[in-house]
Amino acid sequence: MTPQSDDIQASLRELLHFLADAGADEALDEIAADRFVAPPARQTARTGEQPTAGAGLQRRQPASPAMASSDTSQRGDVAVPDEAQAARARELARNAATLEELREILAAFDGCNLKSTAKNLVFADGNPEAPLMLVGEAPGRDEDLEGLPFVGRSGQLLDRMLAAIGRDRTSAYIANVIPWRPPGNRTPTPQETEICRPFIERMIELVNPKVLVNLGGPSAKTLLNTTEGILRLRGNWRVHTTTSGISIPAMPTLHPAYLLRNTAHKKLAWRDFLEVKAKLRSLD
Ligand code: URA
């Protein structure tokens, strides 16, 4: 190999690392698509007209009439997230009488564009009868593949954190604010969060845990109605108020994925988990 090809290989390796760190960790097609090349203008066979943007996309059929939307914001093959979808999500979530119904409603819900790129719905894991419920932000790649929350590296750390307070997935229930993996692990948009919020709120209401743990800032901000940063929030008891007005003590803490990158902060999460353990004991 020439020194030049060594350089090229090193640059390509760096580029791959850069892309993986940015969350682009999967190939979607066998052949790379150059998105900068303009598509050739095509004429439609019958009319001779120029196709309009998105004309080749099929509108997705609703999974059931109950899930159908009359909302005109449905364009192409995915729903455009907006207030109408959030209102529909609130109504559907309110109608779920059990966790199983909620799962079915979510599985049939086409109002969130994240569903179209995710491989699986990531509903929840663990024991819904448990007194402790933990809510993270959104599934990553491993969770998307398995259809279960917190099964990747941060999930393994979460399992160790639970073990440190004498618990595992038989004595805790685990879910996320967003039940579908955002493509490339990007941050969910505020609209996507608003559309998914009614479902996680209904899930918390149905589980009715004694204590809620918010894993990371996005979970804390969404479910505790605050704009404060997680480093200020963590370690202080807050209250999550369900839509029907039940108050659940909530402990915001650092997200396991953050702890994997900032190991010096593990001791803070450890303190928060000890608080949770003491609270659960006091409520027994
Ligand atoms: N991070 C989350 O917030 N949730 C998961 O399920 C996995 C990683």
Side-chain angles (χ1 to χ4, degrees), residues 64-123:
S64 77
M67 303 301 147
S69 166
S70 58
D71 176 32
T72 51
S73 69
Q74 297 256 349
R75 285 182 229 125
D77 68 343
V78 292
V80 178
D82 66 5
E83 175 47 34
Q85 297 297 346
R88 202 157 67 92
R90 284 195 289 277
E91 190 191 327
L92 288 167
R94 202 179 311 124
N95 290 338
T98 63
L99 286 175
E100 216 24 69
E101 271 183 36
L102 186 65
R103 182 200 287 272
E104 280 166 19
I105 287 169
L106 255 178
F109 181 67
D110 272 343
C112 182
N113 51 310
L114 293 177
K115 183 182 183 179
S116 62
T117 46
K119 292 194 170 53
N120 281 299
L121 167 70
V122 178
F123 185 72

Side-chain angles (χ1 to χ4, degrees), residues 122 135-140 143 148-152 154-155 174-176 215 255 257:
V122 178
V135 180
E137 181 184 12
E143 290 75 22
L148 289 171
F150 285 100
V151 291
S154 51
I174 304 172
N176 283 305
L215 298 167
H255 193 287

Side-chain angles (χ1 to χ4, degrees), residues 31 58 75 87 98 100 106-107 120 123 129 145 157 184 196 213 229 253 273:
I31 299 168
Q58 295 270 308
R75 285 182 229 125
T98 63
E100 216 24 69
L106 255 178
N120 281 299
F123 185 72
E129 306 287 320
L145 291 175
L157 176 56
C196 295
V213 169
T253 191
F273 267 60

Side-chain angles (χ1 to χ4, degrees), residues 1-277:
M1 231 184 304
T2 65
Q4 248 180 347
S5 63
D6 275 353
D7 284 353
I8 293 171
Q9 284 215 350
S11 308
L12 285 174
R13 215 174 295 119
E14 263 178 37
L15 177 62
L16 276 176
H17 282 301
F18 171 81
L19 289 171
D21 288 346
D25 52 6
E26 263 178 279
L28 294 178
D29 283 313
E30 290 294 314
I31 299 168
D34 187 347
R35 309 267 176 219
F36 293 101
V37 174
R42 267 187 294 134
Q43 296 218 320
T44 54
R46 264 189 299 151
T47 63
E49 287 163 359
Q50 296 292 324
T52 51
L57 298 175
Q58 295 270 308
R59 182 183 291 257
R60 181 182 286 176
Q61 292 302 314
S64 77
M67 303 301 147
S69 166
S70 58
D71 176 32
T72 51
S73 69
Q74 297 256 349
R75 285 182 229 125
D77 68 343
V78 292
V80 178
D82 66 5
E83 175 47 34
Q85 297 297 346
R88 202 157 67 92
R90 284 195 289 277
E91 190 191 327
L92 288 167
R94 202 179 311 124
N95 290 338
T98 63
L99 286 175
E100 216 24 69
E101 271 183 36
L102 186 65
R103 182 200 287 272
E104 280 166 19
I105 287 169
L106 255 178
F109 181 67
D110 272 343
C112 182
N113 51 310
L114 293 177
K115 183 182 183 179
S116 62
T117 46
K119 292 194 170 53
N120 281 299
L121 167 70
V122 178
F123 185 72
D125 193 22
N127 181 358
E129 306 287 320
L132 174 63
M133 178 165 179
L134 303 102
V135 180
E137 181 184 12
R141 182 172 180 272
D142 296 319
E143 290 75 22
D144 184 39
L145 291 175
E146 285 200 36
L148 289 171
F150 285 100
V151 291
R153 276 185 71 222
S154 51
Q156 286 154 21
L157 176 56
L158 179 61
D159 285 340
R160 292 200 293 280
M161 290 157 79
L162 282 172
I165 58 164
R167 292 189 177 265
D168 59 19
R169 293 183 189 222
T170 65
S171 50
Y173 196 60
I174 304 172
N176 283 305
V177 170
I178 309 279
W180 294 285
R181 180 198 184 194
N185 296 345
R186 68 161 168 76
T187 302
T189 64
Q191 292 97 321
E192 286 160 355
T193 303
E194 271 317 291
I195 290 171
C196 295
R197 173 209 283 273
F199 298 112
I200 184 64
E201 287 185 343
R202 184 68 182 139
M203 193 191 293
I204 296 170
E205 196 159 46
L206 289 168
V207 172
N208 193 16
K210 286 186 179 163
V211 169
L212 180 69
V213 169
N214 298 98
L215 298 167
S219 167
K221 285 179 188 163
T222 308
L223 298 171
L224 305 177
N225 240 333
T226 173
T227 53
E228 265 182 85
I230 190 66
L231 286 168
R232 289 177 73 90
L233 282 172
R234 64 140 289 275
N236 298 302
W237 285 105
R238 298 278 171 140
V239 171
H240 170 75
T241 309
T242 69
T243 28
S244 64
I246 301 168
S247 297
I248 300 174
M251 173 57 72
T253 191
L254 302 169
H255 193 287
Y258 170 87
L259 296 173
L260 286 171
R261 297 189 304 267
N262 301 277
T263 45
H265 281 176
K266 279 187 183 172
K267 58 178 180 293
L268 301 178
W270 168 235
R271 274 184 224 151
D272 302 344
F273 267 60
L274 285 183
E275 277 283 334
V276 168
K277 184 180 183 182

